[in-house]
Every structure is written in C-alpha cells, then in structure tokens.
Amino acid sequence: MICVALAVFAYMFQIVVTGIHERTFIAIKPDGVQRRLVGEIIHRFEQKGFKLVGMKIMQASEDLLKAHYFELRDQPFYNRLVKYMSSGPLVTMVWQGLNVVKTARAMLGETNPADSAPGTIRGDLCVEVSRNVIHGSDSVESAIHEISLWFRPDELVCWNDCADDWIYE
Ligand code: IDP
Ligand code: MG
C-alpha cells in the first residue's frame, strides 16, 4: 500500500516537474472499431505530437466496464452503456505528452456529439451520445486510475522519441 502511494506520488511529482510525461487513457469504443475509425483516430493523436506508449485490441468483460464506469452506476443509461461497451472489441491506448489529458478531451469534443464542434473527433465522426466512438480520461487522477485498470505496467513501453526536440523546446 505504501509502495503504491509512493509510486503515485513519484509519478505525480514527475508530471508537475516535466509535464511531458503526463499520460491519458483513450479507448476506441466498439462502434469506432466496427466503423473502421481506428486509423483515423490514431492519426489525429500522432499528428498532434503525442506519443503512443500502450495499445491493445480487446473485448472487455462487463466486470471491467462496471469498474471503469463505477461513478455512473446510478445513471439511467448505465446498463445500456455497459452492454454497448462489451458488445465488441475496443482498442485501448495510453498516450503521453504535455497536457495530454486536457488536450485529448478537447480533441474528443463534448460527451454528446450534437454539442461537439466540427474538427473534434465526436464532432466529425458520430451523431448520438450513446454511440460516441471514443473514451478519454477526464482528469490526471482518473487517467492514473484508468491506466492501472486497463494496462499492466509491463504493457506500457518507454521509448525515446526522436521527434521530441521538434515538438518541445
Ligand atoms: P465522457 O465519455 O464524455 O467522459 P461521461 O459523462 O463520463 O462522458 O459518460 C460516459 C459515457 O456514457 C459517454 O461517453 C456515453 O457513451 C455514455 N452516456 C453519457 N450520457 C449519456 C446519455 O445521456 N445517454 C446515453 N449514454 C450516455
Ligand atoms: Mg467520463
């Protein structure tokens, strides 16, 4: 328990000192996979300059999705959400970079595609809130929690990015 607390503290400290190590959890939902939007979505994050440090295709269990969406358990759409998210494969990813949590949320758009500006993923690629193609962590704390829920530490790859000097001063 103390080790986990120290690891979280060290990670948070690293984020505050050098924000380029911030990470977020992104999942392309079953509709995004079925509609062949995986390449388009990865392209946007790569073009922005963020670094991919983890990725897998998987079909999530209802138990995992219930843990992921625990805060929404009292919402009327919760059961349908869990069914939709477990209905087919997801592509789950961890992206890293300066302010990546907040910037990724801006790139996603609003929860409801109808409120999402053109140019955002949900604004450009989907129509209905219950089929909104992508998930992104909403805070640095939830990103840390979600990454630990969906990825084992050895599934994340630290690699030297030769573009770093052209993305960061
Ligand atoms: P977020 O995905 O933008 O963070 P949340 O409020 O955390 O939005 O909701 C999680 C997911 O639940 C949404 O992405 C969407 O798939 C679904 N959802 C949210 N609100 C509704 C709704 O009013 N009807 C149906 N599904 C919803
Ligand atoms: Mg959310």
Side-chain angles (χ1 to χ4, degrees):
M1 192 65 200
I2 292 171
C3 285
V4 173
L6 277 174
V8 170
F9 178 78
Y11 183 63
M12 294 295 285
F13 183 76
Q14 196 186 28
I15 287 170
V16 171
V17 174
T18 61
I20 70 168
H21 293 291
E22 186 174 299
R23 288 174 171 180
T24 195
F25 173 70
I26 298 291
I28 304 175
K29 298 181 177 182
D31 47 333
V33 176
Q34 295 286 351
R35 294 180 51 214
R36 310 295 196 268
L37 296 174
V38 174
E40 163 74 27
I41 289 169
I42 290 176
H43 188 52
R44 291 182 182 220
F45 281 87
E46 279 196 322
Q47 276 198 317
K48 175 70 181 167
F50 291 135
K51 179 171 160 180
L52 183 61
V53 296
M55 180 164 81
K56 56 190 173 183
I57 186 163
M58 61 183 289
Q59 185 133 7
S61 67
E62 293 201 0
D63 283 350
L64 176 56
L65 290 161
K66 283 177 181 167
H68 176 78
Y69 283 126
F70 184 73
E71 285 172 5
L72 298 178
R73 63 196 178 283
D74 295 327
Q75 294 297 322
F77 56 83
Y78 174 76
N79 285 336
R80 276 185 294 127
L81 174 62
V82 171
K83 280 236 160 332
Y84 150 58
M85 289 292 290
S86 61
S87 66
L90 307 166
V91 172
T92 54
M93 296 176 278
V94 178
W95 287 90
Q96 182 171 309
L98 185 65
N99 288 326
V100 67
V101 173
K102 190 170 173 224
T103 305
R105 288 289 293 195
M107 289 166 66
L108 262 59
E110 302 301 320
T111 301
N112 191 337
D115 302 328
S116 300
T120 63
I121 292 168
R122 287 167 174 165
D124 288 348
L125 304 178
C126 52
V127 176
E128 237 187 12
V129 67
S130 53
R131 295 290 183 272
N132 62 358
V133 303
I134 187 165
H135 166 84
S137 308
D138 63 6
S139 68
V140 171
E141 293 71 28
S142 37
I144 291 169
H145 170 67
E146 290 172 1
I147 290 167
S148 71
L149 199 59
W150 290 87
F151 284 87
R152 295 192 315 267
D154 68 342
E155 291 177 318
L156 301 177
V157 179
C158 293
W159 53 283
N160 277 333
D161 189 345
C162 63
D164 265 358
D165 288 345
W166 302 103
I167 295 167
Y168 303 106
E169 187 178 349

